[in-house]
Amino acid sequence: VTAPQGPWRAVEVLDEVDSTNRVLRDRAVDGVEPGLVVVAEHQTHGRGRLDRLWESPRSTGLTFSVLLRPSAPRSSWGWLPLLAGLAVAETLTDHVGLDATVKWPNDVLIDDRKVAGLLVEAVAHDGAVIGIGVNTHLEAEALPTPVATSLILEGAPADAINRASLLTAVLLHLHERMADLDRGPTAEAMAAYRMRCSTLGRHVDITVPGGQRIRGTVADIADDASLVIDVDGHGVRHVAAGDVVHLR
Ligand code: BTN
């Protein structure tokens, strides 16, 4: 695998590792330069959001992480996971030909089923690790939950989901959207996220940090990347972090 244009210095392919996010976290502490991409054929302890596990049998997914040093101020880092998810969704449309949406904050869905997840972590030396897991070749019996799917199950053509070519395509889109983040984020990038966000306008159930649950309709995604919720019967509330369930 060769690195495409952009900030990507090198792509390291590992056969087996606990978690590619963990590898880059440690490398960041050691002072490695940003632009490094680490891909794994198999993760033994892939990490998801909220301390969940990201399980994917060997060679059935594209699992990788990148180390970046965004120049955007921390106040706009709320957009980092959102725009990274947008880059993945855009890749699935442009490169694979599937209609993908983003679920706030950063899942990628096809037909309301999760096809990719992202875990973004702030790391040493003003770095950010963006970890991306895409279900490419998972068959129905191997799906981790009934609300998951894979590119092959959605009918993607085999050549488009060759993992090396998919990785190159994601890195190109990620390069562009991370450049948009560093520029503001740009109004175009925020508008593109809102357009593709299937959480917008939905009736949702959100569990916020601390465990409180909120039910309401998503009225907007604010300029600080938080969700604006019309809470059922109780006015408007901004939610900056949480676990969202799309209700029917
Ligand atoms: C989620 O949906 O909760 C996030 C899943 C993120 C999984 C990816 S796979 C590559 C990278 N390494 C990890 O340990 N996690 C991310």
Side-chain angles (χ1 to χ4, degrees):
V1 184
T2 50
Q5 67 185 82
W8 317 117
R9 285 190 300 111
V11 180
E12 264 181 42
V13 183
L14 305 177
D15 182 60
E16 185 166 292
V17 72
D18 54 347
S19 151
T20 55
N21 266 41
R22 198 276 305 155
V23 170
L24 281 183
R25 263 194 102 88
D26 288 356
R27 299 279 183 90
V29 171
D30 294 343
V32 80
E33 287 300 309
L36 185 59
V37 182
V38 173
V39 195
E41 272 298 320
H42 185 228
Q43 292 188 124
T44 54
H45 202 268
R47 292 166 46 208
R49 290 178 64 239
L50 310 167
D51 286 330
R52 294 180 184 136
L53 274 181
W54 177 264
E55 290 182 82
S56 139
R58 172 173 285 273
S59 309
T60 60
L62 174 63
T63 49
F64 71 102
S65 302
V66 306
L67 176 65
L68 289 177
R69 189 174 297 142
S71 59
R74 288 278 172 149
S75 55
S76 52
W77 277 36
W79 280 99
L80 208 167
L82 279 61
L83 294 184
L86 176 64
V88 174
E90 289 175 330
T91 308
L92 297 187
T93 299
D94 298 355
H95 182 77
V96 185
L98 293 170
D99 193 8
T101 68
V102 279
K103 169 171 173 266
W104 187 95
N106 53 0
D107 289 345
V108 180
L109 311 182
I110 295 175
D111 256 344
D112 232 29
R113 290 171 204 274
K114 179 163 169 171
V115 72
L118 288 87
L119 177 66
V120 177
E121 301 180 273
V123 297
H125 306 293
D126 293 320
V129 170
I130 305 174
I132 300 178
V134 186
N135 297 334
T136 56
H137 297 79
L138 268 188
E139 296 294 350
E141 57 280 4
L143 292 175
T145 72
V147 286
T149 189
S150 72
L151 296 177
I152 201 97
L153 288 173
E154 297 297 329
D159 57 332
I161 59 170
N162 162 292
R163 286 173 301 141
S165 86
L166 186 61
L167 174 65
T168 304
V170 176
L171 289 175
L172 279 171
H173 279 87
L174 197 56
H175 160 45
E176 285 168 12
R177 288 306 182 191
M178 291 300 102
D180 290 340
L181 176 78
D182 286 341
R183 286 196 287 263
T186 60
E188 185 279 329
M190 294 194 282
Y193 183 86
R194 291 184 180 107
M195 287 273 293
R196 235 181 225 274
C197 182
S198 47
T199 309
L200 200 50
R202 282 295 270 272
H203 196 222
V204 294
D205 189 304
I206 308 179
T207 307
V208 296
Q212 193 201 353
R213 284 172 69 177
I214 303 170
R215 253 185 201 227
T217 304
V218 180
D220 199 2
I221 289 148
D223 283 352
D224 67 356
S226 63
L227 278 190
V228 183
I229 311 289
D230 241 323
V231 183
D232 294 350
H234 299 283
V236 169
R237 192 164 156 182
H238 282 243
V239 172
D243 196 33
V244 176
V245 176
H246 288 171
L247 302 171
R248 294 285 134 197

